[in-house]
Amino acid sequence: MGLLRLPEPYDFELSTDRYRAFGLDLANLWVDGALHRVVGRREVRITAARGGVRAEPLDAETRPVVRKLVGAEFDLDPFYAWARSDPVLARLTHELAGLRPPLAPDPFEALVTAITAQQISLHAAFAVRNRVIQRYGRRVGQAYSFPTAQHLRRADPEELVALGFSQRKAEYVVGLAAEKIDWAALETLPDEEIKARLVAIRGLGEWTADWFLARHLARPRAWPAGDLGLRKAVNAFYPDAGDIRAFGERFEPFQNPTAHYLLTGLLSGRNLAGA
């Protein structure tokens, strides 16, 4: 068992709430206060610890995945310092101190998950996701591995429809799995070039590309303006916001952490408190 240190403040329960908020997630499985994830051929168990998190096992293979899962890539100190100048964010960063938004460890999984969530509720999307994981993934310990592109490119779209996808979404997933994408090279590109390459793939629009930047790459300026939840959160905290994408310029260069704190603030009812 190894300790992965994280800068203070860090709130494990708050930061991992997404793994519980919308129902069971077999690939990021929350059991008895611990997060379970399959890495390679092993199951990793992550728990709270003083100064960070404990992961078993923690080594060269599992460490990058654990870092993604606990949001270690976010640098909160400059965001918190900048947020003091905005009354809403000053309050939220105080009330939600230690929130590190979790990240999707695998780029293919991040995009399939985004396709799954297009135009349906997150509770429904997680139910579909779990059926796909059970059908095409592999159980190791208590959690399941997320199915690879190699597995899903061989899937019959009708099998995916039977699991809860629309016909179009099923075709999108199989098509994405067949794409030859150099993920390592893609991740070195500027935000706009990544978005341009992603939206050129059938089934991936601006909303999906924005969330890929936000929830897989932790790009600080990612701003999923087309997301219904984010629009609701912005309007709840800033009633005169107007155009949401243009309003994102107010949060330069911290659009991504701002989005996560606004969404969490809305879900927790903190917009009802006095600013």
Side-chain angles (χ1 to χ4, degrees):
M1 183 181 293
L3 174 65
L4 177 68
R5 294 194 176 278
L6 297 169
E8 294 291 343
Y10 175 62
D11 188 316
F12 182 72
E13 288 292 323
L14 181 61
S15 298
T16 57
D17 183 65
R18 180 173 173 78
Y19 299 123
R20 304 180 294 278
F22 304 106
L24 191 70
D25 181 351
L26 293 176
N28 300 301
L29 185 63
W30 184 266
V31 181
D32 297 331
L35 180 64
H36 297 250
R37 172 84 185 190
V38 177
V39 181
R41 297 182 177 276
R42 298 175 294 170
E43 182 184 54
V44 180
R45 182 175 183 269
I46 306 167
T47 55
R50 184 181 297 276
V53 297
R54 290 204 175 275
E56 181 183 2
L58 184 66
D59 54 30
E61 182 184 32
T62 64
R63 184 181 295 272
V65 176
V66 174
R67 284 180 55 81
K68 285 277 190 184
L69 292 170
V70 301
E73 295 177 20
F74 285 99
D75 188 358
L76 294 182
D77 284 346
F79 170 57
Y80 283 179
W82 170 86
R84 295 190 193 108
S85 63
D86 182 293
V88 168
L89 291 174
R91 178 167 59 88
L92 284 179
T93 52
H94 174 72
E95 295 180 356
L96 301 174
L99 167 64
R100 286 186 170 276
L103 298 169
D106 180 77
F108 175 71
E109 177 182 349
L111 291 176
V112 172
T113 299
I115 291 172
T116 306
Q118 289 172 359
Q119 298 179 327
I120 62 174
S121 74
L122 286 174
H123 286 90
F126 270 73
V128 174
R129 170 183 161 91
N130 282 334
R131 290 194 286 270
V132 172
I133 291 169
Q134 284 184 304
R135 172 66 179 82
Y136 298 101
R138 176 172 49 87
R139 187 169 184 174
V140 179
Q142 298 188 74
Y144 285 75
S145 63
F146 192 86
T148 64
Q150 183 178 4
H151 281 102
L152 287 179
R153 76 170 59 108
R154 298 196 298 262
D156 184 334
E158 295 303 323
E159 294 178 356
L160 295 178
V161 171
L163 296 175
F165 282 100
S166 67
Q167 183 68 41
R168 185 169 294 178
K169 284 186 182 181
E171 293 171 0
Y172 292 164
V173 169
V174 174
L176 173 65
E179 291 281 339
K180 304 296 184 183
I181 302 173
D182 185 336
W183 297 110
L186 181 71
E187 294 178 9
T188 66
L189 300 176
D191 291 3
E192 290 307 314
E193 191 166 348
I194 292 174
K195 288 180 64 173
R197 295 198 181 193
L198 290 179
V199 300
I201 299 171
R202 183 169 180 253
L204 304 185
E206 187 174 40
W207 178 86
T208 302
D210 281 335
W211 274 126
F212 182 83
L213 292 172
R215 285 201 170 127
H216 173 61
L217 296 181
R219 293 292 175 91
R221 292 177 169 84
W223 181 246
D227 185 75
L228 178 59
L230 182 58
R231 294 203 301 269
K232 288 181 177 179
V234 171
N235 286 324
F237 288 104
Y238 303 93
D240 300 322
D243 180 80
I244 302 301
R245 186 164 295 280
F247 194 71
E249 296 176 6
R250 173 190 180 112
F251 308 118
E252 174 72 24
F254 296 105
Q255 285 93 331
N256 189 8
T258 294
H260 285 291
Y261 273 72
L262 291 177
L263 283 165
T264 303
L266 181 68
L267 288 173
S268 62
R270 283 174 168 81
N271 63 303
L272 301 178

